């Protein structure tokens, strides 16, 4: 068994914007898969984009959509404005696709059961959607690959196991195998099918290989991963097995291996962690790179380059996952499993540079490695792919990369499945917009909420997603991308403070902070204000008065700011005593300890709700974020408003409150559309820097049912209050 130990300080050439003269991949468009449904179809059904390919001219994308049992087609003649070309029914579950010329070859699962697997290879004309032929494969197909000269295709016939049977482990028959079919005029020749056995080659389950992901090099050799068996098989151009070897193991250090649900602690290790690779791509005729996703017993959280003789040429160790952490995409809920889970793979050459695009499923990123020298890959970028990337296709002739992202969150009112398109540009990298790379320690972060500014630094808090690690992040917004420099842990008696949902922060003028915590009584989280010193220790706690607690709901303080001796807090939505579409701006005088409030008029929501996310003082006005809870194409209200300080005349609680006048300062939807993904729902933080520039940040929900994307934007100065 190959076992590799690597240094955690392995160098990576990240992050964005730092080398403007270099070529970079930037997102230029996203395509929501429901758009391919025909008029009159129920677009609320689950849909997906999993494996993706492109026609030879690079003008059409073809992807598999397992939930609908179709393949979808996208016109990318103008890659910045992709257009739907409709779906084609496969009468089965499409698992993979590759395009030769203008002909799509699609692996389709038609199995009745795990013990009676079956499948077919469908040949389809991409332009018309016409089915040209179908070949019986004799089992359940997984991945498909073709030779560069379009002379043959190969499929991994996985015959996957029933994970609910017994202990769910491999060792369940019938065994999987490989097949190879010749192509004539880019169509499969069914009677030329060659079955290639790969049983008896491994130690773990020699009778149940479950071949997973295959690729073909320039010599016509096939490399295939046997993920559950932690093995790789090399098949010669004549269809015979010429080599097979264990994928080996890695000693991982400085990782988070515990699902403590609420803290990013990278001090653990996993020694001898099996790679259990999924995706694989040939770099040249001798070397290939694998994505070590893991399955039953492993998952090495990185990538490895092998020579086809079985020698490990290079190992990423923990460095790829550390780059995920820097980007704010680390999926903490997966810590006790396989971490960020690199899964899919695409390798292609753009200009003189060979790239490997590694799809990191749980982090919703695509890692871009320069693999021109297979012994010394360099991590160049982390691309925001969309939720759960599964497949990718490169179109070097057009300078295009497309990723297929399988997760469709329609049932939860979230983002739909997307195909994301990137362009290879002579331009700075647009993502990430904020990173912790370069800090003195490894800083995990996410779920950013309220923000404030003082003495040249921005300070932001995380919310209750990281309830066991409440943190104030010190940020340098003068750099590009914005840099998280320091993590100040919020403590009570020296230990991580519990029962907080930090949604607002402001400085106290003396080096410390005031923090607003949004309460939730059913979880015993109080609505409260906290005075915190420069080291993060809570020095004072202020609960809400009886007048507010009598009418409270869970939608509490979402921001606070300090005006003179008075703290002002924005309540997200109506409490029990508020008229419809009115929410409170609550005041608390630090000297007199008096509470008061005014009413703020919210926009009415056609769908979902509208609420406040932030309040901050700038000049003679307070600026607020007012937003709906809608995402993607459904988003309608994301805006910055302001209220003159002179209008903030609080009345006593429990009586009629004065209604302030608001002015809409900026519609944020165009800003949120500019990154060319879907419009995120949670614009949470707002502050102004020393030059008067308005800064906003979005909340990525801790990468839970989210793409993980955080946008930190400098929107420039605002027009002064009249």
């Amino acid at each position: 068994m190959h076992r590799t130990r690597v240094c955690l300080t392995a160098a990576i050439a990240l992050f964005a914007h730092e080398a403007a003269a270099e070529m970079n991949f930037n997102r230029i468009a996203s395509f929501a898969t429901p758009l391919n449904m025909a008029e009159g179809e129920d677009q609320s059904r689950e849909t997906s984009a999993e494996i993706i390919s492109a026609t030879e001219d690079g003008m059409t994308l073809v992807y598999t959509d397992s939930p609908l049992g179709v393949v979808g087609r996208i016109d990318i003649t103008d890659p910045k404005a992709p257009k739907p070309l409709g779906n084609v029914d496969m009468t089965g579950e499409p698992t993979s696709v590759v395009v030769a010329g203008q002909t799509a070859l699609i692996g389709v699962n038609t199995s009745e059961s795990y013990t009676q697997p079956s499948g077919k290879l469908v040949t389809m004309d991409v332009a018309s959607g016409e089915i040209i032929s179908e070949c019986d494969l004799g089992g359940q197909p997984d991945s498909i690959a073709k030779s560069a000269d379009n002379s043959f295709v190969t499929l991994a016939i996985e015959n996957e196991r029933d994970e609910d049977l017994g202990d769910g482990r491999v060792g369940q028959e019938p065994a999987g195998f490989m097949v190879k079919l010749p192509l004539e005029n880019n169509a499969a020749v069914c009677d030329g099918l060659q079955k290639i056995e790969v049983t008896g080659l491994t130690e773990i389950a020699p009778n149940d290989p479950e071949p997973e992901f295959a690729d073909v090099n320039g010599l016509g050799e096939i490399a295939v991963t046997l993920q559950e068996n932690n093995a790789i098989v090399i098949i010669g151009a004549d269809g015979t097995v010429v080599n097979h070897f264990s994928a080996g193991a890695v000693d991982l250090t400085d990782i988070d291996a515990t699902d403590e649900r609420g803290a990013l602690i990278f001090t653990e290790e996993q020694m001898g962690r099996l790679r259990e690779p999924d995706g694989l791509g040939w770099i040249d005729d001798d070397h290939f790179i694998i994505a070590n996703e893991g399955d039953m017993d492993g998952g090495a959280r990185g990538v490895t380059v092998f020579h086809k003789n079985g020698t490990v040429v290079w190992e990423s160790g923990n460095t790829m996952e550390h780059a995920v952490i820097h980007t704010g995409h680390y999926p903490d809920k997966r810590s006790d499993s396989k971490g960020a889970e690199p899964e899919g793979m695409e390798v292609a050459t753009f200009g003189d540079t060979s790239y490997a695009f590694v799809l990191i499923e749980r982090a919703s990123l695509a890692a871009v490695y320069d693999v021109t020298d297979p012994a010394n890959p360099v991590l160049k970028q982390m691309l925001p792919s969309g939720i759960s990337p599964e497949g990718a296709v490169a179109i070097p002739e057009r300078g295009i990369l497309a990723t297929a992202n399988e997760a469709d969150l329609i049932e939860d009112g979230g983002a739909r499945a997307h195909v994301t398109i990137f362009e290879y540009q002579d331009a700075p990298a647009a993502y990430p917009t904020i990173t912790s790379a370069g800090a003195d320690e490894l800083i995990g972060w996410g779920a950013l909420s309220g923000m404030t500014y003082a003495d040249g630094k921005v300070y932001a808090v995380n919310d209750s997603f990281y309830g066991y690690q409440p943190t104030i992040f010190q940020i340098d917004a003068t750099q590009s991308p914005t840099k998280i420099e320091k993590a100040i842990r919020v403590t009570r008696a020296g230990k991580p403070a519990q029962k907080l949902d930090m949604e607002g922060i402001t400085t106290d003028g003396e080096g410390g902070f005031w923090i607003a915590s949004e309460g939730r009584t059913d979880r015993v989280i109080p609505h409260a204000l906290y005075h915190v010193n420069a080291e993060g220790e809570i020095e004072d706690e202020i609960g809400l008065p009886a007048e507010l607690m009598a009418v409270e709901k869970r939608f509490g303080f979402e921001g606070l700011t300090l005006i003179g001796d008075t703290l002002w807090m924005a309540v997200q939505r109506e409490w029990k005593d508020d008229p419809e579409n009115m929410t409170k701006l609550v005041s608390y005088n630090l000297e007199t300890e008096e509470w008061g409030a005014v009413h703020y008029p919210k926009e009415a929501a056609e769908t979902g709700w509208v609420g406040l996310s932030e309040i901050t003082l700038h000049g003679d006005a307070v600026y607020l974020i007012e937003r709906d809870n809608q995402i993607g194409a459904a988003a309608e209200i994301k805006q910055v408003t302001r209220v003159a300080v002179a209008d903030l005349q609080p009345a006593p609680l429990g009586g009629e409150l004065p209604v302030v006048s608001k002015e809409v300062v900026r519609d944020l939807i165009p800003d949120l559309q500019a990154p060319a993904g879907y419009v995120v729902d949670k614009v949470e933080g707002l502050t102004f820097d020393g030059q008067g520039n308005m800064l906003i940040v979005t909340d990525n929900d801790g990468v839970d049912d989210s793409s993980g994307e955080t946008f930190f934007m400098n929107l420039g100065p605002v027009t002064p209050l009249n």
Side-chain angles (χ1 to χ4, degrees), residues 543-625:
L544 269 60
E547 296 93 333
L548 285 176
M549 290 305 297
V551 296
E552 65 92 17
K553 289 186 177 181
R554 55 170 286 200
F555 320 114
F557 294 161
E558 281 280 338
L560 86 165
T561 195
L562 182 63
I563 304 176
D565 293 328
T566 301
L567 290 170
W568 282 90
M569 287 69 66
V571 179
Q572 185 190 69
R573 286 183 267 167
E574 297 93 329
W575 280 10
K576 295 174 185 177
D577 62 336
D578 293 319
E580 185 179 9
N581 295 322
M582 289 283 182
T583 191
K584 295 183 183 73
L585 304 181
V586 175
S587 66
Y588 177 74
N589 188 288
L590 296 169
E591 295 297 322
T592 66
E593 300 183 356
E594 293 178 324
W595 292 85
V598 297
H599 264 139
Y600 174 95
K602 301 189 294 99
E603 305 292 332
E606 292 188 10
T607 304
W609 53 259
V610 172
L612 299 180
S613 290
E614 179 69 289
I615 181 171
T616 190
L617 174 67
H618 178 61
D620 296 328
V622 291
Y623 289 74
L624 304 103
I625 293 175

Side-chain angles (χ1 to χ4, degrees), residues 234-315:
I234 309 297
I235 299 168
D238 62 355
T240 61
V241 173
V242 297
N243 199 12
H244 60 90
F245 44 88
S246 169
V250 181
D251 289 341
L252 292 173
T253 59
D254 299 295
I255 62 170
D256 189 343
T258 302
D259 179 14
E260 64 285 289
R261 293 294 170 97
L264 299 171
I265 303 172
F266 304 105
T267 58
E268 296 176 287
E269 62 183 30
Q270 291 176 334
M271 310 308 285
R273 185 73 168 176
L274 299 182
R275 290 188 172 97
E276 292 186 342
D278 187 337
L280 175 152
W282 286 97
I283 297 171
D284 54 33
D285 289 342
D286 293 317
H287 302 90
F288 56 84
I289 184 170
I290 58 172
N292 302 319
E293 178 194 25
D295 193 284
M296 299 187 306
D297 303 309
R301 306 186 181 212
V303 291
T304 310
V305 176
F306 273 90
H307 190 281
K308 64 185 179 183
N309 65 11
T311 303
V312 173
V313 175
W314 179 82
E315 166 62 45

Side-chain angles (χ1 to χ4, degrees), residues 16 95 110 133 228 329 336 361 378 399 425 459-460 505 525 562 624 695:
T95 62
T110 59
S133 66
E228 291 81 358
H329 280 248
D336 64 336
E361 180 184 15
V378 178
Q425 301 175 342
Y459 296 89
I505 182 172
I525 299 175
L562 182 63
L624 304 103
L695 311 176

Side-chain angles (χ1 to χ4, degrees), residues 491-559:
T491 57
R492 187 183 281 114
K495 297 181 179 180
Q498 302 296 292
K499 300 298 183 180
L500 298 182
D501 183 7
M502 301 189 300
E503 296 287 353
I505 182 172
T506 190
T507 55
D508 65 1
E510 299 176 353
F513 307 93
W514 283 98
I515 290 173
S517 180
E518 181 181 26
R520 184 164 179 177
T521 54
D522 62 334
R523 296 182 181 176
V524 201
I525 299 175
H527 300 279
L529 303 174
Y530 297 91
H531 193 200
V532 177
N533 66 23
E535 287 72 43
E537 178 71 13
I538 294 175
E539 296 185 335
D540 192 15
E541 305 182 22
I542 301 173
L544 269 60
E547 296 93 333
L548 285 176
M549 290 305 297
V551 296
E552 65 92 17
K553 289 186 177 181
R554 55 170 286 200
F555 320 114
F557 294 161
E558 281 280 338

